């Protein structure tokens, strides 16, 4: 009972107005979910964009780095403009949770409407129509087949694959095969993230002693990362050597 009370108190603090703030500026975009303004990392609320290491299938059944594409489309849409982000609370990685706007346009909603993100469990009900619009238009990741970002992080052979009405017969092997991430999704994403025995998330840079010995097909908890800023924003720490 005492533990439950402590957890309830912690959640109340996290969600309290004390954690609320408004930040403005041209952001550094780390991935389709995460930006940085004035050294504050902000997680876009209510949406789930593909992870930067995530692979999808396009309209022709070919593999593509949809997580990198989602990030790059957000960078293109931002185009160096000023964002206004209203934050309330933090997530498990201590990122501020925020709704962001560019000249009054809801960026979170734009990501869903353009097919570069899905609704999360905490999304606004008004966003639902945007996901329908994106799926009907085969926009973004809806152009082919993909795994929901929350399932991608914990995928296995029974993970559901969604998207286009017709997919290749070998879709399971293409998106769930053990050798899927043997190579990085992009040549800019060369950082290796590994999970230790106690669940500790550690990233390894090219040139570090352990880098070449890491087999990225061995454990699905392992992933490629594109920058140290992205890694730290997602709760990874740098390997000692």
């Amino acid at each position: 009972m005492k533990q439950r009370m402590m957890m309830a108190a912690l959640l109340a603090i996290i969600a309290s107005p004390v954690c609320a703030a408004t930040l403005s500026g041209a952001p550094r975009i780390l991935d389709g979910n995460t930006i940085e303004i004035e050294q504050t990392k902000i997680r876009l609320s209510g949406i789930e964009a593909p992870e930067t290491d995530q692979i999808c299938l396009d309209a022709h059944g070919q593999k593509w780095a949809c997580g990198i594409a989602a990030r790059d489309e957000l960078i293109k849409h931002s185009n160096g403009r000023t964002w206004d982000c209203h934050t309330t609370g933090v997530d498990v990685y201590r990122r501020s949770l925020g709704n962001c706007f560019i000249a009054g346009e809801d960026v979170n909603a734009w990501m869903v409407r353009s097919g570069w993100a899905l609704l999360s469990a905490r999304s606004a009900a008004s966003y639902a129509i945007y996901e329908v619009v994106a799926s009907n238009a085969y926009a973004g990741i809806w152009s082919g087949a993909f795994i929901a970002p929350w399932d991608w992080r914990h995928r296995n052979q029974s993970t559901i694959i969604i998207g286009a009405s017709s997919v290749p017969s070998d879709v399971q092997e293409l998106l769930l095969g053990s050798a899927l991430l043997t190579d990085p999704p992009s040549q800019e994403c060369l950082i290796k993230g590994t999970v230790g025995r106690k669940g500790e998330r550690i990233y390894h840079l090219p040139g570090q002693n352990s880098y070449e010995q890491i087999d990225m097909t061995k454990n699905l908890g392992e992933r490629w990362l594109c920058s140290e800023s992205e890694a730290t924003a997602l709760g990874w720490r740098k390997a000692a050597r």
Side-chain angles (χ1 to χ4, degrees):
M1 179 63 73
K2 183 177 180 181
Q3 186 176 18
R4 289 185 181 180
M5 291 176 65
M6 290 176 65
M7 285 299 295
L10 177 60
L11 289 172
I13 292 171
I14 290 175
S16 72
V18 174
C19 299
T22 298
L23 296 170
S24 296
R28 179 182 184 185
I29 297 171
L30 304 179
D31 62 27
N33 290 321
T34 311
I35 67 168
E36 187 175 40
I37 296 177
E38 298 177 358
Q39 299 184 327
T40 297
K41 292 181 175 63
I42 302 171
R43 167 68 161 81
L44 301 182
S45 297
I47 68 171
E48 290 271 359
E51 302 283 357
T52 52
D53 70 331
Q54 187 162 343
I55 301 297
C56 299
L57 299 185
D58 64 17
H60 305 290
Q62 300 298 309
K63 292 189 290 186
W64 64 300
C66 55
I68 296 294
R71 182 204 63 188
D72 290 350
E73 288 298 323
L74 183 56
I75 292 172
K76 187 188 302 182
H77 185 67
S78 176
N79 195 29
R81 292 181 290 173
T82 295
W83 290 34
D84 298 306
C85 295
H86 310 296
T87 66
T88 304
V90 295
D91 69 2
V92 294
Y93 302 125
R94 306 304 299 171
R95 295 175 295 184
S96 296
L97 295 168
N99 289 88
C100 297
F101 301 83
I102 301 175
E105 178 190 48
D106 187 332
V107 178
N108 305 44
W110 180 86
M111 285 292 287
V112 177
R113 186 173 67 249
S114 302
W116 297 115
L118 302 182
L119 301 178
S120 72
R122 307 179 77 180
S123 64
S126 59
Y127 285 6
I129 187 61
Y130 299 137
E131 188 168 287
V132 173
V133 168
S135 62
N136 287 342
Y138 300 104
I141 59 176
W142 292 99
S143 63
F146 62 92
I147 295 169
W150 50 86
D151 287 333
W152 173 264
R153 294 189 284 268
H154 310 287
R155 64 195 182 279
N156 55 48
Q157 289 301 314
S158 62
T159 297
I160 295 173
I161 297 173
I162 57 180
S165 56
S166 61
V167 296
S169 58
D170 58 347
V171 65
Q172 293 290 122
E173 179 59 28
L174 289 172
L175 292 184
L176 295 171
S178 60
L180 178 65
L181 294 180
T182 301
D183 298 315
S186 166
Q187 284 307 303
E188 66 177 277
C189 303
L190 300 178
I191 299 173
K192 294 181 177 181
T194 63
V195 180
R197 293 180 181 178
K198 296 182 179 180
E200 190 175 19
R201 296 148 67 91
I202 303 169
Y203 69 87
H204 308 257
L205 300 174
Q208 288 192 290
N209 292 345
S210 55
Y211 185 85
E212 295 298 334
Q213 283 69 51
I214 297 171
D215 180 358
M216 296 299 286
T217 68
K218 188 175 181 180
N219 185 343
L220 285 178
E222 297 172 344
R223 61 162 294 178
W224 296 96
L225 296 153
C226 302
S227 69
E228 290 192 79
S229 294
E230 178 195 13
T232 56
L234 296 176
W236 301 76
R237 72 162 178 83
K238 186 176 179 180
R241 55 181 182 170

